[in-house]
Amino acid sequence: MGDLQTAALALAGSQQAPDWLASVRQRGAQRFAATPWPNRRTEQWKYTPLSALSGKSVQLPEPSGYKVPEADLIDVDAYRLVFINGVYSPDQSDSLPPEVASFSGVNDDQVALLQNHLGRLADSSAHLFAALGEATSAEGLVVHVKAGQSLDKPVYVVNYSVGEQSFLASTRVLVVLEAGAEAEVVEQFLSATDDQANLVTAHTEIVLGDNARVKHYRLNLEHEGITHAGGVFVELGRDAHFDGFAIAKGAELIRNDYLLIHRGSGAHVELNGVYMPRGRQVVDYHTNVQHRVPHCTSNEVFRGIIGDRAKAVFNGRIHIFADAQKTLAELSNKNLLTSNRAEIDTKPELEIYADDVKCAHGATVAQLDDEAIYYLQTRGIDKERAQVMMSFGFINELISNIQNEAVMNYLLPVLAKQFGRENDLLQLEADTLDAL
Amino acid sequence: MLSINNLCASVEDKQILKGLGLDVKPGEVHAIMGPNGAGKSTLGSVLAGREAFEVTEGSAQFDGENLLEMDVEERARAGLFLAFQYPVEIPGVSNMEFLKASVDAVRTHQGKPELSSVEFMKLARETSKKVKLDQGFLKRGVNEGFSGGEKKRNEIMQMMLLEPKLCILDETDSGLDIDALQTVADGVNAMRSPERSFIVVTHYQRLLDYIVPDYVHVLADGKIVKSGDKSLAKELEAKGYGWLEGEVA
Amino acid sequence: MSEQVEHLIRKEYAAGFHTAIDTDTIPPGLNEDVVRFISAKKNEPEWLLEWRLQAFRAWQEMDEPEWAHVDYPKVDYQSISYFSSPKSMDDKPKSLDEVDPKLLETYEKLGIPLHEQEMLAGVAMDVVFDSVSVVTTFREKLEEAGVLFCSISEAVEKYPELVKKHLGSVVPQKDNYFAALNSAVFSDGSFVYIPKGVRCPMELSTYFRINEQNTGQFERTLIVAEEGAYVSYLEGCTAPMRDENQLHAAVVELVAKDNAEIKYSTVQNWYPGDEDGKGGIYNFVTKRGVCHTSAKISWTQVETGSAVTWKYPSCVLRGDNSVGEFYSVALTNNHQQADTGTKMIHIGKNTRSTIIAKGISAGKSDSSYRGLVRMNPGADGARNFTQCDSLLIGDKCGAHTFPYIESKNPSAVIEHEATTSKVSDDQMFLCQQRGLDPEKAVSMIVNGFCREVFKELPMEFAVEAGKLLEVSLEGSVG
């Protein structure tokens, strides 16, 4: 067992948690203890060494007076829930509609729902950090929308890491949309400073009934010091739609697992993602799309720009089960390395057990197109600037597809800062959009 | 304006230009014609400073400066504009952003202040009307998904925005229908002035009915083998390039 | 079409006969004494015995790899006999006339006539029967050109310095579980040496045959092309039909010095087991080549046989401007499983690699492409292009793609594409409407699917490969 495993289990033992979570916590603790700490031969962690993490020392968070700076928040009309180091902060949160509740405010029906679903998709026997999340689950929220209804505003979940010490911040999100229901969920992860070194485990489970639709955003915008290991686990009923967007700026380590399971025919997954670690940051996305039934579609696009001594890992699996005929599944992963010491390890996988399907994946690692840079230069733009414009353009295609305007408008300056672009250009873009 | 002497250039060790000479004075329009593979497009690329093209001999002065020593973007900022035969697509970089960055770079070089985004927007919209390019193109990626004609109009629009001293049109007419050709020619003609010069590289005489040149040169086997006035173009159309073979040798 | 799949016409494995020949086979089991016995039997020098023993000791400490997408009962390494030799080989024949007629007959049946006058023009051949090389043809002609082509045992005797210098230089003893096993007990195999600047005047070829029951075949091939040399080498394999699984754990090492080129083609048709998955060869092979400056190694393989295949012919592109290529067709039918692909390790500047892998799955089989493309920090300007296509025939099989792509160089460019498709009803309809029977139609479509790879094979092999594919597919449609 890794040092962190021992320490985390001790923390779990002394943690206060609602009674109704006891069995989930117990299961998580058992599985977390039973899972060997990954080494280089563990396929799931082949390119993402966890050795440094093993010695990390963390403590349990307590309610605190910290506030998320207003400037860091997305200007969106939504039901906002704020968690500080994984602890729910009612003061900074909005009053919630009956469909949404934090773990501290759940009713009996919601408890029953949570007990049914927690850990069902985020399988703690298969995911080390899902087990840790279960073992230390005490905080989180549930969204439950009844058949045919839709939430009038997005649910906006803010996870803020702050403080002198390093905390173990575990939160869980359960979204259950009954047949024909619709909702939008924005998960944002922030930290206060580069030094803040929380271990964040955040697992989100989304259950979509027939023809239910969800738009989901997972924005990992933490600073340098954070270790984040979590995931998004989705089950789609017949004709359900999952429309997802993921972004990771980079931190000590950001690892997100996406599991998307088609259980009803006609379901569709759209997942776009962007990562751009710099410095010595590590970002790791593992995605797994499971086509278990016929006539489903999935389309996944991830792009990364890796600079300095940073490292990115992408593992994208498409798994077509026997009988999942007439599946259409595509995956594209494109990467740009911008430094001699940057590293990308990408592994697009196909596992196919049905013959009448169309599946394709592509992965590229490339430089910026010389031809395009030359073209920009002949128009008087210097080479460096041309490279910045091109890099931004490389991911901008995905950013500009974001359907939630507030999220897009929030991300643009964040990215601009990352790429050192002038603000007037952004203004220009906004003006252009307005004017046209 | 532009003075080229004995210019020799090669690509991947293959010599394409073999001692080309050309003098362009302010306000002049020079047409360069010639058979395929003569080096017409190479000339534009060499003058614009494309990396793969290596100048092995000769000189090129632009406004009294040694053009061959300047970087690609320096040449552009100094007022040399190349309209591409095959404009490059740059997905994700919006045309608007690209154009403003380009105009700002040139203005900064000229010691003028950058345009505010509102001023620029206004200018861009007016210009796009002149070349009959739908404004929707401004927010799309550079040349991304543009048709051939749209790409060429986008080139002319850039030329108008940058107000260069010397415009090199590299087979801008190829692949255009009559309407698009007319638009391109109108754009060029509107920009003709005593201070501005043009080098029009073309395979077809047709373009020269719309953009009337002061001089016509025949480029063959890397050299200018014959020069004349616009009547030379008519002669070429009637006789083809074959009768010039003696001069090539 | 899937109904048609059920109505199979099975054609027997044509190479599945067993030849009754007196053999000298040691009892099953593996320990240091067996290693010493093999070494002694072959009159090996002390250094080679020591080398084998090192490998054996390392092997004992290693675990059998489990990461491949294959599933088979554990091999009992103590139940295998590690050496079997036709008895008449004790005094090795000097010429074909002295070869046991039964052996010759075996090869005639396989369609590999050994008599030189009947041979395909311009192909020199080394033949390995169970554990030993039985005959090498065209030797004199090759020697004139300075090309050494003989069995590896003979090379150990005659050219010990060359062998000592290169053996294990590409695939070290401890490289992996099966390579370690091979290093300990390899019995025979081929040795090729092309001197500086020499273009080998003919195709070289080795035919491998496992005949005896309960034997493993552990051949070792070493090909060295000195500066500016060129050689094209072909390898073919068959085995009798047996209910037990037989183990084949070969190692192939290629060394391409500056500006040298090695083309290595394989048509692998080991016994695949019967339609219920009984019997067949476990084909666990390590093949790797090193390219020095501006050298080129090209692997082409057509894998239709074996019950389980575990094989990744690889290129280490060490020298600047070197080139690695991998062209593969892997066809699995019935219960066959193949986990095959390549590794392209880009170390030098401007190195180039191309991977074209075609997987065809039919019956209840599983075919996986597993590949690694690695761009080291120094591989400036390196390029890789990978195309993996899978074709599924029927709905009980699986086709998988596991590409590992690692880059630590910003100027390296990697492109990977994979697609999967099936033989569509429309294609079948068109062919049938034009008068082709379904089986011919499938084989035509599959051949078309594999065309990019087949065109890399030498002519005679390309024809053979096409036919083999047809035979292997028989029964996949009705």
Side-chain angles (χ1 to χ4, degrees):
Chain A
M1 207 187 296
D3 298 344
L4 180 69
Q5 262 169 308
T6 318
L9 286 168
L11 291 182
S14 61
Q15 192 181 20
Q16 299 276 319
D19 289 344
W20 56 269
L21 276 166
S23 63
V24 169
R25 289 170 57 88
Q26 197 180 0
R27 177 182 67 199
Q30 279 165 2
R31 288 177 175 170
F32 188 61
T35 310
W37 192 253
N39 59 36
R40 284 188 56 195
R41 272 180 293 175
T42 312
E43 189 63 25
Q44 284 273 310
W45 296 93
K46 180 178 167 72
Y47 292 114
T48 311
L50 282 175
S51 44
L53 183 58
S54 173
K56 193 177 171 90
S57 128
V58 286
Q59 47 186 286
L60 287 173
E62 281 169 10
S64 63
Y66 290 114
K67 293 242 178 286
V68 192
E70 199 65 32
D72 286 350
L73 292 170
I74 302 170
D75 183 14
V76 61
D77 184 18
Y79 298 114
R80 188 170 78 197
L81 295 91
V82 174
F83 293 83
I84 304 291
N85 295 326
V87 179
Y88 184 57
S89 167
D91 305 351
Q92 297 176 71
S93 304
D94 293 326
S95 64
L96 302 172
E99 291 92 342
V100 185
S102 80
F103 280 7
S104 48
V106 282
N107 61 32
D108 289 353
D109 289 348
Q110 285 161 330
V111 165
L113 201 66
L114 283 160
Q115 285 178 326
N116 270 340
H117 288 290
L118 276 187
R120 188 170 65 80
L121 298 172
D123 182 357
S124 52
S125 61
H127 295 269
L128 177 68
F129 287 93
L132 174 61
E134 266 186 13
T136 57
S137 56
E139 297 273 5
L141 65 127
V142 56
V143 178
H144 179 204
V145 184
K146 297 252 165 52
Q149 306 202 335
S150 61
L151 262 184
D152 57 339
K153 291 195 278 188
V155 177
Y156 174 28
V157 189
V158 182
N159 292 275
Y160 190 56
S161 290
V162 63
E164 303 286 314
Q165 297 96 341
S166 300
F167 301 104
L168 172 57
S170 293
T171 51
R172 297 197 76 96
V173 175
L174 174 66
V175 178
V176 178
L177 304 186
E178 292 182 7
E182 291 186 27
E184 181 168 350
V185 178
V186 181
E187 295 187 67
Q188 182 187 24
F189 297 88
L190 296 166
S191 66
T193 59
D194 278 341
D195 302 332
Q196 216 300 322
N198 276 4
L199 169 57
V200 179
T201 73
H203 291 84
T204 297
E205 290 165 284
I206 301 176
V207 182
L208 300 178
D210 293 354
N211 207 27
R213 280 156 194 263
V214 71
K215 290 196 178 80
H216 178 260
Y217 300 86
R218 193 168 174 104
L219 316 174
N220 280 98
L221 305 173
E222 295 117 324
H223 287 86
E224 195 90 27
I226 296 290
T227 303
H228 178 116
V232 179
F233 301 81
V234 186
E235 184 177 65
L236 295 94
R238 189 191 155 126
D239 299 321
H241 269 230
F242 174 80
D243 194 335
F245 178 82
I247 184 168
K249 232 171 56 166
E252 171 92 24
L253 167 64
I254 293 178
R255 161 70 175 253
N256 271 313
D257 284 79
Y258 272 81
L259 174 66
L260 303 135
I261 307 173
H262 289 284
R263 288 223 196 261
S265 62
H268 178 68
V269 162
E270 190 81 31
L271 176 60
N272 289 341
V274 169
Y275 46 87
M276 43 201 163
R278 309 202 314 188
R280 288 171 175 272
Q281 299 167 348
V282 180
V283 172
D284 177 348
Y285 278 103
H286 269 58
T287 71
N288 185 355
V289 182
Q290 294 187 351
H291 286 265
R292 289 176 178 265
V293 290
H295 292 285
C296 291
T297 51
S298 63
N299 184 27
E300 190 180 335
V301 179
F302 271 79
R303 292 202 178 170
I305 300 177
I306 305 106
D308 303 330
R309 306 177 80 162
K311 174 171 177 166
V313 179
F314 178 78
N315 192 120
R317 167 178 286 235
I318 298 173
H319 187 162
I320 314 289
F321 285 67
D323 303 330
Q325 300 292 11
K326 305 285 179 191
T327 292
L328 295 179
E330 283 193 37
L331 182 155
S332 156
N333 173 232
K334 294 187 178 179
N335 299 280
L336 276 180
L337 293 183
T338 60
S339 137
N340 286 325
R341 292 174 138 176
E343 177 177 344
I344 169 72
D345 300 300
T346 171
K347 186 173 162 225
E349 296 178 79
L350 292 175
E351 195 165 350
I352 298 173
Y353 296 95
D355 62 337
D356 192 7
V357 298
K358 282 206 177 96
C359 298
H361 70 215
T364 61
V365 182
Q367 291 174 279
L368 293 171
D369 180 6
D370 285 342
E371 185 76 15
I373 288 176
Y374 166 67
Y375 187 68
L376 292 173
Q377 282 181 287
T378 65
R379 298 301 180 253
I381 298 164
D382 64 53
K383 203 167 182 174
E384 260 175 43
R385 177 77 184 282
Q387 285 168 340
V388 168
M389 282 174 73
M390 298 264 307
S391 305
F392 186 77
F394 179 71
I395 54 165
N396 190 32
E397 285 179 77
L398 296 184
I399 304 291
S400 57
N401 278 340
I402 295 178
Q403 292 179 29
N404 185 316
E405 261 182 52
V407 172
M408 183 172 77
N409 291 337
Y410 175 86
L411 285 178
L412 277 171
V414 172
L415 297 181
K417 204 173 157 202
Q418 187 95 347
F419 287 98
R421 280 174 29 133
E422 300 86 329
N423 277 322
D424 70 339
L425 267 175
L426 295 160
Q427 191 53 49
L428 170 71
E429 226 147 64
D431 289 352
T432 313
L433 287 166
D434 289 347
L436 295 171
Chain B
M1 167 88 53
L2 178 71
S3 171
I4 305 173
N5 257 309
N6 188 34
L7 189 65
C8 300
S10 57
V11 184
E12 288 169 358
D13 295 331
K14 187 175 180 238
Q15 198 169 3
I16 311 271
L17 296 184
K18 302 170 180 175
L20 183 141
L22 185 67
D23 233 346
V24 179
K25 299 202 167 57
E28 293 177 351
V29 176
H30 290 246
I32 296 190
M33 304 186 70
N36 285 327
K40 297 195 299 284
S41 286
T42 301
L43 178 62
S45 296
V46 168
L47 293 177
R50 193 183 187 118
E51 211 170 317
F53 293 78
E54 196 192 344
V55 175
T56 52
E57 233 184 296
S59 66
Q61 300 281 320
F62 179 58
D63 256 2
E65 306 260 340
N66 182 351
L67 184 69
L68 303 179
E69 279 187 358
M70 296 158 79
D71 286 340
V72 179
E73 63 265 31
E74 285 171 3
R75 298 180 199 205
R77 290 171 192 174
L80 184 147
F81 181 90
L82 173 68
F84 282 53
Q85 184 181 359
Y86 304 109
V88 182
E89 295 194 15
I90 313 177
V93 176
S94 85
N95 215 10
M96 200 62 163
E97 174 190 354
F98 162 63
L99 293 171
K100 182 162 193 302
S102 176
V103 169
D104 284 346
V106 171
R107 288 182 67 96
T108 306
H109 178 78
Q110 292 168 345
K112 297 182 196 164
E114 292 184 1
L115 294 176
S116 76
S117 53
V118 175
E119 286 170 320
F120 178 74
M121 278 292 304
K122 218 174 136 214
L123 181 64
R125 291 166 75 173
E126 281 167 12
T127 317
S128 68
K129 269 185 211 145
K130 285 187 198 160
V131 294
K132 299 183 181 146
L133 202 57
D134 188 277
Q135 289 177 28
F137 286 103
L138 290 171
K139 62 173 181 178
R140 286 178 34 188
V142 177
N143 290 324
E144 192 185 0
F146 287 27
S147 73
E150 285 156 0
K151 282 181 184 168
K152 295 295 171 74
R153 275 183 265 180
N154 196 18
E155 294 291 288
I156 298 303
M157 173 169 158
Q158 291 169 29
M159 185 170 85
M160 291 175 153
L161 284 170
L162 295 178
E163 301 181 330
K165 290 182 195 154
L166 173 66
C167 310
I168 304 166
L169 308 181
D170 185 7
E171 306 212 14
T172 300
D173 55 327
S174 59
L176 292 189
D177 61 29
I178 277 293
D179 283 351
L181 188 67
Q182 183 73 54
T183 310
V184 165
D186 288 351
V188 170
N189 289 329
M191 286 190 69
R192 286 178 78 157
S193 83
E195 294 80 39
R196 184 172 292 132
S197 314
F198 290 83
I199 297 175
V200 181
V201 176
T202 180
H203 192 68
Y204 306 103
Q205 194 272 334
R206 185 182 67 163
L207 177 67
L208 304 182
D209 290 340
Y210 297 88
I211 303 172
V212 181
D214 300 305
Y215 301 95
V216 173
H217 309 276
V218 179
L219 179 61
D221 193 27
K223 282 190 287 241
I224 295 210
V225 295
K226 192 166 182 69
S227 299
D229 60 14
K230 64 186 176 190
S231 64
L232 177 59
K234 294 277 181 204
E235 211 174 336
L236 286 168
E237 187 178 42
K239 299 187 189 170
Y241 294 105
W243 62 285
L244 286 167
E245 260 169 31
E247 271 139 291
V248 177
Chain C
M1 209 188 91
S2 52
E3 291 84 33
Q4 294 175 330
V5 174
E6 305 303 325
H7 301 97
L8 314 180
I9 310 157
R10 279 212 48 84
K11 177 160 174 176
E12 274 191 30
Y13 179 70
F17 56 87
H18 165 247
T19 310
I21 282 182
D22 267 355
T23 55
D24 203 355
T25 304
I26 60 168
L30 182 55
N31 52 45
E32 285 206 10
D33 290 341
V34 170
V35 177
R36 286 175 197 283
F37 171 87
I38 294 170
S39 190
K41 191 86 186 164
K42 306 179 92 57
N43 296 318
E44 285 177 355
E46 187 58 31
W47 67 265
L48 190 50
L49 173 62
E50 215 27 65
W51 192 85
R52 285 176 180 277
L53 289 170
Q54 275 172 14
F56 178 71
R57 286 164 199 152
W59 177 76
Q60 286 180 303
E61 303 293 314
M62 294 166 97
D63 295 320
E64 193 164 340
E66 287 174 351
W67 41 259
H69 195 91
V70 291
D71 187 19
Y72 57 93
K74 279 252 175 264
V75 176
D76 179 0
Y77 291 91
Q78 296 305 331
S79 69
I80 296 170
S81 165
Y82 288 83
F83 191 80
S84 169
S85 151
K87 269 223 173 99
S88 54
M89 288 295 118
D90 272 358
D91 300 299
K92 204 175 154 104
K94 305 285 178 295
S95 76
L96 273 178
D97 299 338
E98 294 176 31
V99 174
D100 185 333
K102 276 195 182 144
L103 253 180
L104 289 178
E105 223 172 89
T106 303
Y107 284 91
E108 300 278 352
K109 271 200 216 171
L110 290 167
I112 314 159
L114 294 180
H115 285 290
E116 294 179 28
Q117 63 270 28
E118 293 172 8
M119 293 217 20
L120 291 164
V123 180
M125 193 171 282
D126 184 29
V127 174
V128 177
F129 197 83
D130 286 341
S131 301
V132 298
S133 166
V134 292
V135 63
T136 307
T137 62
F138 274 115
R139 188 174 293 193
E140 293 78 11
K141 188 160 177 208
L142 289 169
E143 274 169 10
E144 271 170 43
V147 173
L148 309 180
F149 180 36
C150 60
S151 73
I152 194 120
S153 327
E154 195 178 331
V156 170
E157 270 176 59
K158 286 193 177 164
Y159 320 106
E161 289 312 309
L162 278 178
V163 176
K164 196 172 176 179
K165 183 171 171 195
H166 295 290
L167 188 72
S169 69
V170 184
V171 180
Q173 292 139 293
K174 300 170 197 172
D175 188 79
N176 66 68
Y177 188 79
F178 302 114
L181 176 63
N182 173 287
S183 300
V185 302
F186 74 87
S187 40
D188 217 333
S190 299
F191 171 78
V192 177
Y193 178 82
I194 319 285
K196 190 169 167 177
V198 170
R199 204 183 155 82
C200 185
M202 61 183 71
E203 307 269 357
L204 303 184
S205 172
T206 298
Y207 234 92
F208 295 104
R209 169 99 181 146
I210 299 178
N211 192 53
E212 267 318 285
Q213 204 161 355
N214 297 327
T215 52
Q217 181 149 324
F218 306 93
E219 84 268 2
R220 185 129 194 148
T221 298
L222 174 60
I223 300 179
V224 180
E226 290 287 358
E227 272 175 51
Y230 168 85
V231 62
S232 169
Y233 181 91
L234 324 171
E235 165 194 74
C237 336
T238 56
M241 286 168 29
R242 295 195 182 286
D243 286 349
E244 308 80 36
N245 297 106
Q246 282 177 290
L247 179 64
H248 173 248
V251 172
V252 175
E253 296 179 279
L254 310 184
V255 180
K257 300 276 178 70
D258 296 358
N259 296 303
E261 180 176 349
I262 302 177
K263 231 175 126 60
Y264 194 106
S265 313
T266 304
V267 173
Q268 184 265 108
N269 185 28
W270 295 119
Y271 179 53
D274 70 9
E275 64 207 276
D276 300 318
K278 198 166 187 196
I281 301 289
Y282 290 159
N283 191 32
F284 301 149
V285 173
T286 306
K287 292 182 166 179
R288 191 177 305 150
V290 171
C291 284
H292 294 271
T293 304
S294 300
K296 176 175 174 182
I297 288 180
S298 181
W299 297 102
T300 305
Q301 61 173 25
V302 177
E303 302 278 322
T304 61
S306 297
V308 181
T309 297
W310 179 102
K311 181 182 170 190
Y312 316 92
S314 305
C315 297
V316 180
L317 303 171
R318 184 171 293 156
D320 293 352
N321 305 310
S322 58
V323 176
E325 293 176 340
F326 176 75
Y327 299 96
S328 170
V329 167
L331 183 148
T332 53
N333 197 354
N334 296 320
H335 290 266
Q336 281 178 274
Q337 306 173 63
D339 194 294
T340 183
T342 184
K343 292 184 201 173
M344 293 290 174
I345 311 295
H346 291 254
I347 299 170
K349 293 185 175 54
N350 297 314
T351 43
R352 299 268 184 281
S353 64
T354 304
I355 299 170
I356 308 285
K358 306 277 181 179
I360 303 146
S361 312
K364 294 175 179 166
S365 69
D366 267 299
S367 171
S368 303
Y369 167 82
R370 185 180 304 276
L372 167 68
V373 174
R374 176 181 290 154
M375 299 295 183
N376 277 17
D380 294 347
R383 296 278 181 281
N384 162 267
F385 175 77
T386 302
Q387 172 82 46
C388 298
D389 297 319
S390 308
L391 187 69
L392 292 100
I393 302 174
D395 56 4
K396 301 276 187 294
C397 53
H400 320 300
T401 315
F402 305 105
Y404 294 71
I405 300 164
E406 308 173 3
S407 179
K408 292 184 177 175
N409 189 302
S411 67
V413 174
I414 306 169
E415 279 180 77
H416 169 97
E417 287 170 19
T419 62
T420 177
S421 54
K422 67 165 198 159
V423 177
S424 78
D425 294 343
D426 290 347
Q427 291 168 327
M428 288 296 286
F429 175 69
L430 176 70
C431 294
Q432 286 176 272
Q433 209 283 320
R434 296 291 181 267
L436 298 178
D437 64 59
E439 207 152 278
K440 180 69 192 166
V442 166
S443 114
M444 214 175 71
I445 293 164
V446 169
N447 261 291
F449 176 73
C450 302
R451 200 173 49 91
E452 276 173 280
V453 174
F454 285 171
K455 74 178 169 44
E456 297 298 322
L457 286 170
M459 180 82 107
E460 302 82 14
F461 257 39
V463 175
E464 188 179 341
K467 280 192 197 146
L468 197 55
L469 221 55
E470 214 163 301
V471 172
S472 305
L473 274 171
E474 261 173 51
S476 65
V477 280

